[in-house]
Amino acid sequence: MIIVMRKSATEEQIQLVMKAVTDEGLEPRRLDGVERTVIACIGDERATSAERFEVLEGVDRVMPVLQDYKLASRDGALERTRVPVRDVIIGDREIVVMAGPCSVESEEQIVSTARAVKAAGARILRGGAFKPRTSPYAFQGLAEDGLKLLATAREETGLPIVTEVMDPHNVELVGRYTDMYQIGARNVQNYALLREVGQTRIPVLLKRGMSTTLKEFVFAAEYILAGGNPHVVLCERGIRTFETATRNTLDLNALPVLQEWTHLPVCIDPSHGVGVTRWVPPLARAAVAAGADALMLEVHPDPAHAWSDGAQSLDFEGFAEAMDGIRRVAAAVDRTLPQPVA
Ligand code: PEP
Ligand code: MN
């Protein structure tokens, strides 16, 4: 079961409820959300009852949760989760677009991209400094120098940044710079890494693996939530199928399923999902039509010369055009996207 505390609950009341949970032989897992605190009870609940906790001060309600992913499950949630990334909220009416290059390459590249995507209505700057590459001989990212360049671009534009962390040992280092961690497709079941970011309170963009079932994906999110970090955004980025015409197959099925199973915001990444620049905008529009809360789009000043993923990156003009189309679909489904700045 999940114990939902009142918004007005005091720290002392929360502590007393945690103790009561322990006294009943269960393990309390506390999650401090933007709105309120919830306490998940882990263990065999047969020896206790909801009434035991409902009478405690500060408790709003006690809800049964049938799924094993107690913290991610929509059952225990009163409302959908909103994830704050500095001043940007993911999971509100506004579609949050995270845009930028696959890899951070230079100051000129990342700052010019930050300016261009901001002008077109993006709210978060993306860019990889630690890159998971298939070949060990391919460009692996600028590492900390790349993080510094992202921080410069944030200073120049005010856009919060999202960047990938691949190694549990780098969670602290990346956390010194970033406003949101990205956990990439290849690391979605790296449980040591999930646990480590779960110990922070920095928001996490968790990407689905290329052969992860939606159940496995939700359990990966549960690892982060169970550590006490409530700020998780799920990201579908394409899965492996028999199809070879596209890089991956963007599984938009994931959207309604994840939104039914969980209270977490869902982001769609059509760039990796389809892997071909000209096919990205229609899929971005489809994602918004189907209810996505956020989009991740790769944008580069000169895609033909990008150090990674140029074949799926939009240039500045293409991005602005894509955003116009996304804006029209957003309006049709009662969502918003910031207007471009002339
Ligand atoms: C990326 O965002 O550039 C990336 C490597 O993503 P994924 O983990 O989805 O492949
Ligand atoms: Mn990429």
Side-chain angles (χ1 to χ4, degrees), residues 101-103 126-128 130-133 164 166 182-187 205 207-210 235-238 247-248 269 272-273 296 298 308-309 312:
C102 181
S103 302
R126 68 146 281 147
F130 292 96
K131 296 302 304 175
R133 303 304 300 280
E164 179 157 357
M166 298 202 303
Q182 171 172 319
I183 293 198
R186 291 153 193 82
N187 273 311
L205 182 78
K207 289 185 132 189
R208 181 184 181 186
M210 45 201 98
C235 181
E236 157 62 33
R237 47 76 73 206
R247 183 178 180 188
N248 290 294
D269 170 357
H272 293 87
M296 171 165 266
E298 285 189 338
S308 60
D309 284 353
Q312 65 193 32

Side-chain angles (χ1 to χ4, degrees), residues 203-232:
V204 181
L205 182 78
L206 179 65
K207 289 185 132 189
R208 181 184 181 186
M210 45 201 98
S211 53
T212 319
T213 67
L214 292 174
K215 263 291 159 55
E216 289 164 342
F217 188 26
V218 172
F219 273 111
E222 187 77 11
Y223 266 87
I224 302 171
L225 299 172
N229 186 347
H231 308 304
V232 179

Side-chain angles (χ1 to χ4, degrees), residues 21-230:
V21 172
T22 309
D23 289 347
E24 292 295 291
L26 297 168
E27 186 194 337
R29 286 292 172 96
R30 169 180 180 162
L31 202 60
D32 296 313
V34 177
E35 303 278 339
R36 55 174 94 216
T37 295
V38 302
I39 298 160
C41 305
I42 314 290
D44 185 355
E45 296 175 1
R46 283 173 301 185
T48 185
S49 69
E51 292 78 44
R52 164 78 184 80
F53 304 106
E54 268 160 2
V55 296
L56 299 177
E57 278 184 60
V59 172
D60 185 355
R61 62 177 88 180
V62 181
M63 331 220 357
V65 180
L66 300 176
Q67 282 78 12
D68 285 337
Y69 44 92
K70 293 194 187 304
L71 294 166
S73 170
R74 196 164 163 191
D75 286 355
L78 296 180
E79 58 246 325
R80 302 207 66 83
T81 285
R82 294 179 304 142
V83 172
V85 184
R86 289 207 169 202
D87 60 329
V88 178
I89 306 287
I90 303 175
D92 262 343
R93 197 165 155 240
E94 181 186 322
I95 309 286
V96 173
V97 175
M98 312 176 202
C102 181
S103 302
V104 179
E105 299 168 9
S106 68
E107 179 167 335
E108 159 68 16
Q109 176 240 20
I110 194 69
V111 172
S112 67
T113 306
R115 291 210 175 98
V117 299
K118 182 183 178 182
R123 296 295 306 276
I124 296 177
L125 176 67
R126 68 146 281 147
F130 292 96
K131 296 302 304 175
R133 303 304 300 280
T134 302
S135 164
Y137 310 120
F139 174 60
Q140 305 284 309
L142 295 179
E144 189 169 4
D145 289 342
L147 299 174
K148 287 182 179 156
L149 295 178
L150 282 166
T152 304
R154 172 177 55 206
E155 250 165 60
E156 293 287 323
T157 59
L159 290 184
I161 55 185
V162 55
T163 195
E164 179 157 357
V165 59
M166 298 202 303
D167 183 328
H169 298 109
N170 281 340
V171 165
E172 196 275 328
L173 169 71
V174 176
R176 264 187 260 146
Y177 296 91
T178 201
D179 301 302
M180 183 179 217
Y181 291 117
Q182 171 172 319
I183 293 198
R186 291 153 193 82
N187 273 311
V188 66
Q189 290 179 304
N190 180 339
Y191 298 119
L193 181 61
L194 298 175
R195 281 216 170 87
E196 202 63 33
V197 298
Q199 292 306 309
T200 76
R201 296 299 176 264
I202 296 174
V204 181
L205 182 78
L206 179 65
K207 289 185 132 189
R208 181 184 181 186
M210 45 201 98
S211 53
T212 319
T213 67
L214 292 174
K215 263 291 159 55
E216 289 164 342
F217 188 26
V218 172
F219 273 111
E222 187 77 11
Y223 266 87
I224 302 171
L225 299 172
N229 186 347

Side-chain angles (χ1 to χ4, degrees), residues 227-246:
N229 186 347
H231 308 304
V232 179
V233 176
L234 302 171
C235 181
E236 157 62 33
R237 47 76 73 206
I239 54 173
R240 284 262 166 96
T241 67
F242 54 81
E243 184 55 72
T244 54
T246 53

